[in-house]
Amino acid sequence: MKTTAIVLFILTYVLLLSLPKHRAKIAMATATIFVALGILPFSKVFTTVDWNVILMIAGTMGLVSLFIDSKMPSLLADFIIAKTPNVKWAIVSLSLFAGIISAFVDNVATVLMVAPVALTICKKLKISPVPSIISIAVASNLQGAATLVGDTTSILLGGHLDMNFFDFFVYNGKPSLFFIVQIGAIASTVMLLWLFRKEKQPVTSLERTVVTDFFPTVLLILMIILLITASFIPNTPKTINGIICVILFVVGIVRALLVKRDNQTVINAIKEIDYVTLLLLSGLFIVVGGITEVGVIEDIAAIFVKIAGDNLFVVYTLIVWFSVLVSAFIDNIIYTATMLPVIGGIGALIGGDPTVLYFGLIIGATLGGNLTPIGASANIAGIGILTKQGYEVKTKDFTSIGVPFTLIAVITGYILTWFIFG
């Protein structure tokens, strides 16, 4: 059973990378096979899917559609165009903008909010939005590790170590993940400037867009506030973030129907939910849940623990770079949830403060997803947006930006985390 699961898993990811137009079908087909063969029991299918992520994506996509319809993204695009001298700085500014938001909002939600601004700018400048959307996705993934509410992996770490919101700024009297990530962000931004060094086309300020409906913008700001607030409330449902996003979307829909009497906006918002991306993610959750069920991830963890022995630096190095490699192909949410208790066991065996191992896991798992277009939910969401707009994103299009960005960010985080907590 385990061998069959491994073969199917490898075949699935080869197909996902090779056939980008059919990723949802491939993921769902493999998920069906996993359940049919009993690799993942049917009784565990529902609980294996991360409904918090699914609900958050669906709710935020709907909210973002209302946001776009209000013309606010167009206004933000006009503002950025007016403040940047050329295309290079426009792309980098958008990635920085996405990073700032992503430190406080789930990175998938960030991509869904900022992508419309990038699409509008690229449309006005008559350039391809592919590099810009990819930059936004990888920057969002990076900053997702900065705070408790930035990414699901951070939420998992916070729950495991009983960390509160401010522990991500200062932990045990030392600079914590927030500052480690910011230095990594500076290094990776320099890398983006170099990658886009040839994009010197001038940016011309255009006539400023007029926004007449600010309610969708208020809903998005309220979403940010509620997501942060929810992180401080104990014993909330695991799907609390998704519930918040869906409820706010419903509020926007009800207002459009009852107050504005605008049925077309409601229809457009429901259509704009990317059901293909939701199916892809659901399928991936089931597939990775299947290989976890048969013990593949635990076996791999046991192997590198045996190799490392009781040398803390070697264990730390293996955890960081193994996490980078694995998260490039496996959704980092499920991987992190699986590895957290394993890290605790390793820490108990080798002695000392295991904080450096936990933080190394988050650095590697969160940033490693930027190596491939399917390594993180934000990447999948970003590519889904581009596909919906008619753009085909090849694997090399993504890796040409994702690989150098990831390597510089991980190396920076790897060195700093060891220097502070090692």
Side-chain angles (χ1 to χ4, degrees):
M1 187 70 75
K2 185 179 293 187
T3 302
T4 303
I6 294 172
V7 171
L8 284 170
F9 176 77
I10 293 173
L11 178 61
T12 298
Y13 274 84
V14 169
L15 291 173
L16 287 173
L17 292 170
S18 305
L19 303 171
K21 290 184 178 180
H22 304 284
R23 284 174 179 157
K25 296 175 185 175
I26 293 166
M28 291 305 295
T30 307
T32 303
I33 293 171
F34 266 45
V35 175
L37 293 179
I39 295 173
L40 181 70
F42 182 77
S43 60
K44 293 187 177 181
V45 170
F46 187 83
T47 54
T48 298
V49 176
D50 191 326
W51 294 107
N52 189 50
V53 172
I54 299 298
L55 290 173
M56 182 177 289
I57 292 176
T60 308
M61 281 180 172
L63 270 177
V64 167
S65 177
L66 298 176
F67 182 59
I68 295 170
D69 192 66
S70 74
K71 297 184 178 179
M72 181 59 79
S74 185
L75 177 61
L76 291 173
D78 291 338
F79 179 78
I80 292 175
I81 288 174
K83 298 295 181 180
T84 52
N86 53 41
V87 171
K88 175 182 73 175
W89 279 105
I91 293 174
V92 173
S93 297
L94 279 173
S95 70
L96 289 171
F97 180 50
I100 292 170
I101 295 175
S102 188
F104 301 95
V105 177
D106 182 87
N107 48 33
V108 173
T110 300
V111 170
L112 295 173
M113 282 191 285
V114 180
V117 182
L119 289 171
T120 304
I121 288 178
C122 293
K123 185 177 180 180
K124 290 186 176 184
L125 298 178
K126 297 180 181 179
I127 60 174
S128 170
V130 173
S132 186
I133 299 296
I134 292 173
S135 299
I136 287 169
V138 295
S140 297
N141 278 327
L142 168 62
Q143 290 285 2
T147 70
L148 177 62
V149 297
D151 189 24
T152 305
T153 55
S154 296
I155 295 172
L156 290 170
L157 175 69
H160 190 76
L161 296 182
D162 197 25
M163 297 171 70
N164 62 36
F165 188 84
F166 298 103
D167 283 334
F168 277 74
F169 293 85
V170 178
Y171 190 68
N172 293 337
K174 299 176 182 179
S176 192
L177 281 168
F178 178 83
F179 297 103
I180 293 172
V181 169
Q182 299 320 306
I183 295 174
I186 293 170
S188 56
T189 298
V190 173
M191 176 59 72
L192 281 181
L193 287 170
W194 183 81
L195 288 173
F196 296 113
R197 63 192 181 282
K198 296 181 181 179
E199 303 295 335
K200 297 180 180 179
Q201 306 95 308
V203 173
T204 305
S205 181
L206 304 172
E207 183 179 351
R208 190 65 60 90
T209 301
V210 177
V211 177
T212 56
D213 185 8
F214 290 91
F215 191 75
T217 305
V218 171
L219 286 178
L220 281 176
I221 294 173
L222 183 60
M223 182 185 76
I224 295 171
I225 294 171
L226 289 176
L227 290 177
I228 293 174
T229 303
S231 72
F232 290 99
I233 302 173
N235 303 319
T236 54
K238 291 182 179 180
T239 55
I240 184 64
N241 290 346
I243 291 171
I244 288 170
C245 294
V246 169
I247 287 176
L248 290 176
F249 173 48
V250 171
V251 169
I253 289 294
V254 170
R255 175 181 178 269
L257 284 173
L258 301 183
V259 178
K260 296 184 67 180
R261 307 287 183 181
D262 189 351
N263 295 340
Q264 191 58 48
T265 296
V266 174
I267 294 171
N268 290 340
I270 294 173
K271 283 184 178 179
E272 282 302 309
I273 296 174
D274 192 346
Y275 301 101
V276 173
T277 296
L278 296 180
L279 286 173
L280 170 58
L281 283 173
S282 299
L284 288 178
F285 281 131
I286 293 170
V287 170
V288 179
I291 66 164
T292 302
E293 179 73 18
V294 295
V296 173
I297 291 179
E298 287 85 346
D299 288 348
I300 297 172
I303 291 172
F304 78 73
V305 171
K306 185 177 181 180
I307 294 172
D310 59 356
N311 187 309
L312 183 63
F313 178 72
V314 175
V315 174
Y316 168 71
T317 300
L318 280 175
I319 288 172
V320 171
W321 294 104
F322 177 75
S323 298
V324 169
L325 178 63
V326 172
S327 293
F329 301 98
I330 296 178
D331 186 274
N332 54 20
I333 296 170
I334 297 176
Y335 170 73
T336 301
T338 303
M339 286 298 294
L340 280 171
V342 175
I343 298 298
I346 296 171
L349 287 173
I350 65 176
D353 184 4
T355 299
V356 68
L357 302 181
Y358 283 114
F359 283 13
L361 171 67
I362 295 302
I363 292 292
T366 304
L367 302 184
N370 281 334
L371 281 178
T372 68
I374 56 173
S377 301
N379 299 343
I380 294 172
I383 291 171
I385 291 169
L386 287 168
T387 302
K388 207 173 183 65
Q389 294 292 321
Y391 294 91
E392 181 181 355
V393 184
K394 298 178 181 177
T395 299
K396 68 177 182 179
D397 295 331
F398 186 92
T399 55
S400 64
I401 297 172
V403 171
F405 184 97
T406 299
L407 291 178
I408 191 68
V410 172
I411 289 170
T412 303
Y414 166 73
I415 294 171
L416 284 173
T417 302
W418 178 257
F419 179 76
I420 295 170
F421 292 98

